[in-house]
Amino acid sequence: MRAGCQKGEIRSRPPTPYNPVLLPSVNFLCLQCERRLLRDAGETSRPCDFCGVANGVVAPDEDAVIDRCAACGHDELYFQKDFNRRTGIALVVVGSIFVPWTYGLSLLGVTILDYIVWRIVKDVIVCYECQAVHRGYPPNPRLKPFDLVIHDRHVYGAAPPGAEEGHS
């Protein structure tokens, strides 16, 4: 059973590696042990699965438009593709390694593969404050892609000099 299933709950189809159940969910860090936790849409709050510390995180309903973080309540969010960055970098490195033997065609192949993945992979909504990931929810047209200036304000307290120009 996937974490978050209630005892006796029946899903329409069992999750398998080739046929996963993709319920909207929120992935967030426990404030105590900093382990990644998952809450499916509509699931009630419960203590951390690892350290037992209570938290009040409840994932929004499946059709909710996300405008605040479910984990911390913050309202500055952004969207990004739900793709593992390390995998993307590994593809570019492998393509680069084969350049001498493929006369650069390996990089063209990686570029085409990157475009196909970009078209297929869905967006996730991420909180600037706590980095919670809201996966499987409908897109919010008011959200924008990642902005380094906003990120720097949250991480460092201020953006680098001159970076604030043109930002609100």
Side-chain angles (χ1 to χ4, degrees):
M1 249 193 231
R2 183 172 163 197
C5 290
Q6 300 298 323
K7 188 174 183 178
E9 179 182 3
I10 299 173
R11 296 193 186 222
S12 59
R13 52 184 188 173
T16 66
Y18 303 106
N19 187 21
V21 173
L22 299 175
L23 291 175
S25 61
V26 177
N27 291 73
F28 61 99
L29 294 178
C30 172
L31 297 175
Q32 179 68 30
C33 66
E34 296 188 356
R35 303 274 299 267
R36 181 116 347 235
L37 302 174
L38 171 78
R39 297 291 180 267
D40 288 329
E43 182 182 349
T44 59
S45 66
R46 66 177 195 276
C48 174
D49 301 333
F50 302 100
C51 69
V53 169
N55 64 60
V57 177
V58 177
D61 292 329
E62 293 182 34
D63 57 350
V65 175
I66 306 297
D67 58 353
R68 288 188 150 309
C69 178
C72 71
H74 202 264
D75 64 348
E76 285 193 294
L77 308 168
Y78 64 93
F79 67 88
Q80 69 180 23
K81 290 293 182 182
D82 193 9
F83 188 72
N84 187 309
R85 290 182 186 125
R86 289 183 182 162
T87 303
I89 291 170
L91 287 172
V92 171
V93 167
V94 169
S96 299
I97 289 171
F98 287 104
V99 163
W101 298 282
T102 63
Y103 301 102
L105 291 177
S106 59
L107 290 179
L108 178 63
V110 168
T111 303
I112 292 169
L113 180 62
D114 181 56
Y115 177 75
I116 292 169
V117 168
W118 179 80
R119 296 288 296 184
I120 293 172
V121 173
K122 304 271 188 230
D123 288 334
V124 292
I125 299 170
V126 183
C127 176
Y128 278 107
E129 187 68 23
C130 70
Q131 299 301 306
V133 177
H134 303 74
R135 184 173 279 115
Y137 289 98
N140 183 342
R142 296 183 313 148
L143 296 181
K144 296 181 177 158
F146 179 80
D147 186 335
L148 187 59
V149 172
I150 297 172
H151 171 267
D152 285 352
R153 272 192 235 135
H154 286 277
V155 174
Y156 306 113
E164 292 286 344
E165 297 172 15
H167 282 83
S168 54

